[in-house]
Amino acid sequence: MQLHIMNKNTEMRDFIIADNQELTHQGLESLVRRDEQNAVYKATDRAGLIHLLKAHESAVVILDYTLFDFADVEQLLIISERYELTRWVLVSNELSPAFLQKVIYTSQLFSIVYKDSPIAEIREALQAAVHRQRHICQRALEEIIGHRQEEEQPSPLTATEREIVIAIAIGKSTKEIAAERFSSVHTITTHRKNIFRKLGVNTAHEVIKYALRAGLVNSSEFYI
């Protein structure tokens, strides 16, 4: 049985795709446009997303949080509360257990799937959002259950990881950090993933906030 995003007897639904990975964006747009009644809009940053939400408050937002310029999960939740008629489908490659727990326990407006989830499950999440329900995939639930204890007592950063946190905080790219440390980009990327996992964060901006709180960098040295 073929699963559609909307029933043909329902009214037009606005979708806002907020994903800066072009290939993923095209795939999501193709999936949503299977019903010709749907209107699809594209947001490339947080300001553009808010602008679209003002005009389409009942839209379904398909968001890759990790690729957008949100300062932290609190900022995302504040925006979702402001536009309470909006429904959100988070679609990312990876989300930290701390992030998942905060979103799931704080708000009923979010559905969660992953980019490597089966197409049928992504459709199910979109369908749930259209009908003002939510869908949390099994992997997200398992992430929370399996890492709850670890996230409550995060592993301390190694000396190398602290140095990389400082480099990230002052704006150095992965390539620049690799060159300075005479390491490969792959090695630094692995360190970044470990740092994000240990800190329970998803973005470089959240790493910067950690570095400031931990006193690893001085806030007078740069502007966030």
Side-chain angles (χ1 to χ4, degrees), residues 76-77 80 88 90 103 107-112 134-136:
L76 173 62
L77 291 171
S80 70
W88 303 72
L90 302 184
V103 169
S107 176
Q108 295 289 322
L109 303 179
F110 292 87
S111 294
I112 300 173
R134 73 170 180 173
H135 173 85
I136 308 298

Side-chain angles (χ1 to χ4, degrees), residues 9-219:
N9 293 324
T10 61
E11 62 182 6
M12 182 180 73
R13 171 65 64 174
D14 293 334
F15 285 85
I16 300 173
I17 300 179
D19 189 319
N20 289 322
Q21 255 181 359
E22 190 61 31
L23 187 60
T24 305
H25 177 95
Q26 291 178 5
L28 290 169
E29 183 171 359
S30 175
L31 188 62
V32 170
R33 286 193 184 277
R34 292 181 61 155
D35 191 319
E36 295 179 357
Q37 296 184 83
N38 293 337
V40 183
Y41 305 90
K42 180 178 181 179
T44 58
D45 57 23
R46 180 167 48 87
L49 175 58
I50 292 173
H51 178 75
L52 286 170
L53 287 173
K54 290 178 180 178
H56 309 282
E57 293 189 0
S58 298
V60 173
V61 177
I62 308 173
L63 170 69
D64 186 339
Y65 171 81
T66 63
L67 297 180
F68 252 60
D69 55 339
F70 286 99
D72 52 31
V73 64
E74 296 293 347
Q75 190 175 65
L76 173 62
L77 291 171
I78 289 171
I79 292 174
S80 70
E81 290 172 2
R82 184 183 306 166
Y83 301 98
E84 60 183 15
L85 296 179
T86 302
R87 291 298 182 270
W88 303 72
V89 180
L90 302 184
V91 185
S92 296
N93 285 320
E94 189 173 355
L95 292 166
S96 73
F99 173 90
L100 293 169
Q101 182 170 313
K102 181 72 173 179
V103 169
I104 291 172
Y105 292 166
T106 302
S107 176
Q108 295 289 322
L109 303 179
F110 292 87
S111 294
I112 300 173
V113 288
Y114 291 89
K115 290 187 175 179
D116 60 356
S117 296
I119 293 295
E121 185 161 41
I122 296 175
R123 288 177 182 164
E124 187 175 349
L126 293 171
Q127 183 83 348
V130 165
H131 289 90
R132 307 185 68 78
Q133 300 170 351
R134 73 170 180 173
H135 173 85
I136 308 298
C137 72
Q138 185 65 27
R139 175 180 162 188
L141 295 175
E142 290 174 355
E143 286 280 350
I144 293 175
I145 296 171
H147 292 81
R148 183 173 294 166
Q149 183 175 359
E150 179 182 344
E151 291 300 317
E152 289 175 354
Q153 298 178 338
S155 304
L157 298 179
T158 65
T160 296
E161 288 168 345
R162 285 195 297 273
E163 292 172 2
I164 292 174
V165 164
I166 293 171
I168 293 172
I170 61 178
K172 293 183 179 178
S173 68
T174 299
K175 288 183 179 180
E176 289 172 332
I177 298 172
E180 289 182 357
R181 300 186 66 84
F182 302 101
S183 299
S184 68
V185 170
H186 174 74
T187 296
I188 301 303
T189 299
T190 300
H191 280 306
R192 282 175 61 102
K193 288 182 178 179
N194 289 335
I195 290 167
F196 281 31
R197 176 180 56 80
K198 288 181 178 182
L199 299 182
V201 301
N202 298 281
T203 67
H205 196 104
E206 291 172 321
V207 173
I208 293 172
K209 292 180 69 175
Y210 166 82
L212 288 168
R213 291 195 302 269
L216 297 178
V217 294
N218 191 322
S219 60

